[in-house]
Amino acid sequence: MRTRLGDTQSEFAARYHIPFRTIQNWEAGVRKPPAYMLDLLGDRIQADLANRRTAALPQYDPRKEDLPKRSDFVGAISWLKAVQERIGEPFVFALDEALMCQGNFGGRSDEFIVWGYGSDAAARFNGVVLLGERVGPYNVMEKNGLRYTDFNRTIADALANESILDMQGITEALSRYYYKHGDSFTGVFVVPEYQDKFAELANAAVDYYAT
């Protein structure tokens, strides 16, 4: 299961909060994980692997319902609350919208795209881009009545969708993180498949406020 994610043993242990020695013992055959643990890990890994990439950004479709306009609201949080209320079902904000929930990005006055995790029913609205039906609860935070991906999952989703994503919000948020944490990215976890992309993004983030 670990190799499907491309994680090292230490990365897999950190991702799912399992002692590193336990992972070693499982893989060496010294101990066997209980069946319920395998089922739980299987569900979580499937959630992490499923649908984190999207092919293209949606265009306006007059047949779909409209969400509240960002320009009609003073703050990002008030807009996101209105969006959540309009969607009217469980929804986890992702990418730029997650950064807004975290307070790491103010958004743009002309926002149209709303990234998130939810059922296919949410796609009946213009601008909604679903990264998947669900995301593991350990990667979800809640504040101001809004549910959103944590910083590490937000970074992972950004790197997975970099080819179609405006990276300004991610770069700005990562830059703030770097300077807030004493010129360090300590605490940011990136799986091996995205290490090279993250290195480029990190360099851009360091330069963001310096230039």
Side-chain angles (χ1 to χ4, degrees), residues 162-183:
E162 183 180 17
S163 63
I164 62 169
L165 178 66
D166 180 347
M167 297 293 282
Q168 177 186 343
I170 299 295
T171 303
E172 182 179 325
L174 197 58
S175 181
R176 289 180 177 176
Y177 183 100
Y178 177 78
Y179 290 109
K180 184 178 179 180
H181 290 79
D183 294 354

Side-chain angles (χ1 to χ4, degrees), residues 40 43-44 47-48 134-141 147-148 150:
L40 178 61
D43 288 343
R44 289 189 169 186
D48 278 349
R134 61 191 176 96
V135 59
Y138 51 92
N139 280 141
V140 178
M141 303 184 72
R147 298 174 70 235
Y148 53 94
D150 65 15

